[in-house]
Amino acid sequence: MATIVEVARLAGVSTSTVSHVLNDTRNVEPSTRAKVMAAIEKTGYRQDAVARAMRRARTDSIGLVVSDAGEPAFAEMVHGVEHAAAARGLTLVLANSAEDPVREERAVNTLLSRRVDGLIIARCAASSAAVSSRLESESPRPVVLLDRVFDNSPHDQVGADNRESMRRLVEHLQAAGHRRFLLVAGDQRVPTLVERFRGFRDAIRDADLPQQVVVDAVDMAEVREKVAAALEQGDATCVIASSTPLAVATLECLRDAGLTTPEQIAFAAFDGFSHSDLFRPTITTVRQPAFEMGAAAVSLLIDRLGAPDASPRTLRLNQTLELRESSENYRPGVS
Amino acid sequence: MATIVEVARLAGVSTSTVSHVLNDTRNVEPSTRAKVMAAIEKTGYRQDAVARAMRRARTDSIGLVVSDAGEPAFAEMVHGVEHAAAARGLTLVLANSAEDPVREERAVNTLLSRRVDGLIIARCAASSAAVSSRLESESPRPVVLLDRVFDNSPHDQVGADNRESMRRLVEHLQAAGHRRFLLVAGDQRVPTLVERFRGFRDAIRDADLPQQVVVDAVDMAEVREKVAAALEQGDATCVIASSTPLAVATLECLRDAGLTTPEQIAFAAFDGFSHSDLFRPTITTVRQPAFEMGAAAVSLLIDRLGAPDASPRTLRLNQTLELRESSENYRPGVS
DNA sequence: GCCGGACAGGAAAACGATTGATTGGGGAAC
DNA sequence: GTTCCCCAATCAATCGTTTTCCTGTCCGGC
């Protein structure tokens, strides 16, 4: 590859002039500019982003660490981040922690050593303190927490309105006559799932309903086991799963127990399945705006670059309650 | 951030010694090494990957351009690439062309200017010649084509055994009694879809079946329109969709036409839906090993780095035919 | 005719590492 | 005792840009 030196020589100017032409950072005589452009054309020169990043403060890249690249919701966030980043001329460096704190820490270190201009991260459930302090010490390089949102975080964050959405969902189901729920709440180290659980608890409390069954197992095999046991016991008329993997496990249990939805038991889930309209049963879903969350994270990052000292913001995007068959037509007292 | 210079000063050695300790690239006296390690510890020094990449030939990063980050199949490939790359200590730089040749070219240029050690790309349907020549002129920097595989490509490639899989699928359906198919073949600028179409054509020819209806529209609205028309005409007993988006459009048409699967018409699709076991109808699917394809692309890249002059390889991963309800229990002659 | 400012462009110092050439000291071999 | 080689460590060049000074020229105003 030709370098700026060769371009300069061919054009008969200094490298600084070439640089200024390239970046439009100083007036240059039209004739000089023309010579430079011609030389660039002739040599097929292209700027070297590495050298450029080396000299400047910025790399024009951002890092993204997701906790489970295999989950469709995270895939959508990645998509949203990529889209928003590209629109602003930023390149995306992607890493996946796969819910493993060791890999997460490694990923964060790698991205920071590559001098990304900012970092977006969906922290894994068992995220280590080392990562926390590493992220905090990175200021003023902006860090945005995605999806997994923490109280009193020193960072900007973007999450969903989990507590309120769960509340709305439960209220809807209650209005339809349900009194006894089974909540498959999942790993309570994950803030998102904690928020959903709290929304559930709030709604139950405010409606003066009796104690409900809650499954908070982490391991999916254990989830299935506990859900199966709860179904066996059999007083729930409605099951809510707090995430897609939990919904999968739960649906398997329902199927294995021979329970049909919504006739024998109602069902609803968070995050949902793709193309779910095409298949039966269609499932009542609280849908997370994953793409938009990714894009919003990029916006926060950019804003933060412009105002390093503003106090951290937490953005909560609205989820939408999509009512479908799995929670309809249930007749309390019939089953 | 501390630099290597400060570490060297603190340890009372030269920067080159620090570098050699860091990279384990030359023997250093244990006592010296200890001093260096202590200094690193004290300063909290971390290697700067940008400066490192600047000096060395490699950046320890690879670029990936996908043609539609929104598609689950591509999301899985991204996942596979990230996984394999991370396992080898490579960072992943991700870009999405969104099936837009302009964005694709921009993405390729960006990644190359960042000096990725190699590039994996799923070229978009209308990919420009400019991109082709740019990729070819990049040698010896390896380029691997992913999913969209071309004849006589100068690059390594990894795709699926589309032709054979389609053939097997059709043969299976034939054996079940089907004679008249509707193939929703999609955009014939996409090699993957061309291969699937050819497999279909081969199977039909070899079985001496009469001419079949093939929809090769690009725009989804047009696909729906043509599929609806073909269903109206009504002599097909079986529909095959060559990709997930096409399957979505087709299933919508079937639903709108009031046709149930498999009772009134059989259905099968390529690539498939996630968690499809949980919903009805379960769909007979030729499943693409998307994750593995991504991982294989990384392997080809690494191999190529070791042997720049070996002739290009095309890897075809096997797809699996997953038989499900949508193609079963069909009784030819009944409907 | 001199001064000051505007303007175009160049020289060279960074940025933070890696690495080839070089130095100096300490045996081993003769 | 000299030579030779090995070893550890340093020196300094280098990667390809950007950016800070700096120089020289031209022009207008007085």
Side-chain angles (χ1 to χ4, degrees), chain B residues 228-286:
Chain B
L231 291 173
E232 191 83 17
Q233 194 171 328
D235 59 351
T237 63
C238 179
V239 187
I240 300 175
S242 277
S243 75
T244 299
L246 295 169
V248 171
T250 304
L251 285 168
E252 285 169 357
C253 291
L254 290 177
R255 188 184 56 189
D256 294 348
L259 293 169
T260 61
T261 291
E263 294 79 7
Q264 299 185 291
I265 196 161
F267 182 72
F270 272 68
D271 302 347
F273 300 87
S274 46
H275 311 300
S276 52
D277 284 349
L278 292 169
F279 302 95
R280 299 272 111 59
T282 57
I283 294 195
T284 289
T285 299
V286 177

Side-chain angles (χ1 to χ4, degrees), chain A:
Chain A
M1 268 308 264
T3 75
I4 202 174
V5 178
E6 299 165 55
V7 173
R9 192 172 43 216
L10 193 62
V13 300
S14 71
T15 60
S16 63
T17 298
V18 177
S19 173
H20 284 119
V21 167
L22 244 33
N23 300 304
D24 205 25
T25 164
R26 184 162 83 179
N27 260 1
V28 323
E29 198 71 354
S31 63
T32 312
R33 172 184 301 271
K35 281 189 295 182
V36 170
M37 296 309 279
I40 289 176
E41 181 77 18
K42 192 167 307 178
T43 55
Y45 168 80
R46 328 201 74 114
Q47 255 177 326
D48 181 317
V50 176
R52 192 153 194 263
M54 169 93 224
R55 181 60 230 259
R56 308 198 316 159
R58 324 185 32 163
T59 56
D60 294 319
S61 68
I62 65 175
L64 171 61
V65 185
V66 296
S67 53
D68 188 352
E71 272 305 306
F74 283 114
E76 263 310 294
M77 290 183 210
V78 172
H79 188 191
V81 169
E82 196 284 335
H83 188 83
R88 292 173 169 84
L90 298 172
T91 323
L92 175 62
V93 187
L94 176 68
N96 177 26
S97 68
E99 293 287 7
D100 174 353
V102 175
R103 287 189 59 181
E104 180 180 69
E105 190 176 348
R106 198 157 43 207
V108 168
N109 286 333
T110 301
L111 295 182
L112 291 177
S113 89
R114 293 201 118 83
R115 291 213 223 140
V116 290
D117 291 342
L119 192 56
I120 300 176
I121 173 170
R123 297 184 61 177
C124 70
S127 188
S128 70
V131 168
S132 298
S133 62
R134 188 97 175 74
L135 292 177
E136 286 178 40
S137 69
E138 275 312 310
S139 104
R141 188 152 28 169
V143 171
V144 175
L145 266 37
L146 177 60
D147 183 64
R148 316 270 174 104
V149 159
F150 296 81
D151 290 342
N152 304 320
S153 165
H155 309 292
D156 291 315
Q157 314 188 98
V158 40
D161 64 341
N162 295 302
R163 199 161 177 168
E164 295 72 18
S165 295
M166 175 63 97
R167 198 190 181 99
R168 274 191 296 151
L169 172 62
V170 174
E171 284 169 357
H172 168 79
L173 293 166
Q174 250 170 234
H178 293 283
R179 291 294 173 271
R180 311 194 70 84
F181 296 86
L182 166 57
L183 175 67
V184 188
D187 191 341
Q188 294 297 300
R189 292 171 306 176
V190 176
T192 310
L193 299 179
V194 170
E195 291 161 13
R196 290 173 184 173
F197 167 67
R198 294 210 172 124
F200 178 80
R201 198 191 48 191
D202 296 350
I204 298 297
R205 187 204 336 99
D206 293 355
D208 272 332
L209 293 184
Q211 181 141 24
Q212 310 289 322
V213 184
V214 174
V215 171
D216 64 353
V218 171
D219 176 62
M220 281 306 148
E222 196 187 345
V223 168
R224 269 190 294 266
E225 196 176 303
K226 292 197 173 171
V227 169
L231 290 173
E232 190 84 16
Q233 196 172 324
D235 59 351
T237 64
C238 180
V239 187
I240 299 175
S242 276
S243 75
T244 299
L246 295 169
V248 171
T250 305
L251 285 169
E252 286 168 357
C253 290
L254 292 176
R255 187 184 56 188
D256 293 349
L259 293 168
T260 62
T261 292
E263 296 79 8
Q264 301 185 291
I265 196 159
F267 181 73
F270 272 68
D271 302 347
F273 299 87
S274 48
H275 311 301
S276 51
D277 284 350
L278 292 170
F279 303 93
R280 297 275 113 54
T282 58
I283 295 195
T284 289
T285 298
V286 177
R287 185 167 297 279
Q288 200 179 27
F291 184 95
E292 289 76 10
M293 284 168 63
V298 175
S299 293
L300 287 182
L301 211 57
I302 305 288
D303 291 354
R304 174 63 50 185
L305 282 170
D309 297 324
S311 56
R313 292 194 288 163
T314 295
L315 224 59
R316 294 265 181 191
L317 270 54
N318 292 330
Q319 297 174 292
T320 53
L321 176 52
E322 303 178 340
L323 299 174
R324 300 214 185 77
E325 294 170 1
S326 72
S327 71
E328 285 165 16
N329 304 321
Y330 173 79
R331 268 159 278 258
V334 168
S335 77

Side-chain angles (χ1 to χ4, degrees), chain B residues 48-67:
Chain B
D48 182 316
V50 176
R52 195 153 191 266
M54 170 91 224
R55 181 58 229 262
R56 307 198 317 159
R58 328 185 29 163
T59 56
D60 294 318
S61 67
I62 65 175
L64 171 61
V65 184
V66 297
S67 54

